[in-house]
C-alpha cells in the first residue's frame, strides 16, 4: 500500500523530526517523509534530514515582506513535494488563518504541554510556577488559534519536587518522541477522524 507522503516543518534542533525519521525508516511504517522544510537555514534538523537522505528546503521567513508571502512559498514547496500531511515539529512561526485553512485537517502540531493548559512559549517554566502535578505533551490538529485544535494524543509525566525547567523538558521530550510517530501511524492508517470538533481514534 502507498505510504502517506508527509512533510515536516522545523525551526531548530529537530529531535522530534529524528523520531519521525526513525519511525519512517521501517518499510512497514505507513508514512514516509517527502520533505523537511525549515524557516531557519542553519537549523540542525536539516542536517538530520540530509543524513537520512531526505529532500530538504530552507525557506527563510526573513526573505519575505509578510507572513502571507512566506506561507505561499512554504505551500508551494509542500505541494511540489506532493505532501498529503504536514507535521509541525518545533516550527516556531505563527501561521495565518489562510495557511491553516488551506491545510485544514492535514496540518498537525506537537506542543510540550497538556493542552489546553499552557499554550505558547515557556510551557515548562509556567507549569512549574503553577505547581502542577502532571505535565506532558499534546499532538493536535492545527487551528487558527495558537496551540489549539482537536487533540489526537497526549502523554503525561509526573512533576517531581526537584524538577527544573530543563529536567522537566527532557522528560516531556522523551514522551514527544513516542507519541508523535504514534500519531502519524494512526493518521496514516486512517484511524483518526474528527467528529463534532473532537478526534476519534479507532482502537484507542
Ligand atoms: C519540542 O518540545 C516541541 O514540542 C516544541 O519545540 C520543541 C522542538 O524540539 N514546540 C513548540 O513549543 C510549538 N509550540 P525539537 O526541535 O528537538 O523537536
Amino acid at each position: 500500500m502507498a505510504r502517506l507522503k508527509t512533510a515536516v516543518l522545523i525551526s531548530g534542533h529537530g529531535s522530534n523530526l529524528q523520531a519521525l525519521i526513525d519511525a519512517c525508516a521501517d518499510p512497514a511504517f505507513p508514512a514516509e517523509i517527502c520533505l523537511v522544510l525549515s524557516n531557519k537555514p542553519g537549523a540542525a534538523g536539516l542536517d538530520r534530514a540530509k543524513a537520512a537522505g531526505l529532500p530538504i528546503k530552507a525557506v527563510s521567513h526573513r526573505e519575505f515582506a509578510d507572513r502571507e508571502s512566506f506561507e505561499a512559498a512554504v505551500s508551494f514547496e509542500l505541494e511540489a513535494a506532493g505532501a498529503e500531511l504536514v507535521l509541525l515539529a518545533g516550527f516556531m512561526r505563527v501561521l495565518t488563518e489562510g495557511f491553516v485553512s488551506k491545510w485544514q485537517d492535514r496540518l498537525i502540531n506537537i506542543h510540550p504541554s497538556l493542552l489546553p493548559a499552557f499554550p505558547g512559549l515557556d510551557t515548562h517554566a509556567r507549569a512549574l510556577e503553577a505547581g502542577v502535578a502532571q505535565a506532558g505533551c499534546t499532538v493536535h490538529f492545527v487551528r487558527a488559534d495558537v496551540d489549539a485544535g482537536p487533540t489526537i494524543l497526549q502523554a503525561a509525566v509526573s512533576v517531581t519536587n526537584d524538577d527544573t525547567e530543563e529536567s522537566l523538558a527532557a522528560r516531556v521530550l522523551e514522551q514527544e518522541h513516542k507519541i508523535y510517530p504514534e500519531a502519524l501511524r494512526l493518521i496514516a492508517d486512517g484511524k483518526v477522524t474528527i467528529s463534532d470538533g473532537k478526534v476519534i481514534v479507532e482502537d484507542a
Side-chain angles (χ1 to χ4, degrees), residues 10-17 48 89-92 109-113 120-121 123-124 137 146-147 169 172-173 176-177:
I10 62 166
S11 298
H13 187 55
S15 70
N16 275 293
L17 166 67
R48 296 177 185 270
F91 183 71
M92 303 310 270
N109 183 42
I110 188 158
H111 182 76
S113 77
L121 299 173
T123 53
H124 303 302
C137 47
V146 173
D147 299 323
V172 170
L173 202 53
E176 294 186 44
H177 298 162

Side-chain angles (χ1 to χ4, degrees), residues 3 20 23-32 180-182 184-186 188:
R3 304 169 85 198
L20 295 165
C24 292
D26 176 356
F29 193 79
E32 64 183 344
Y180 218 0
E182 178 61 10
L184 176 56
R185 189 181 66 75
L186 290 166

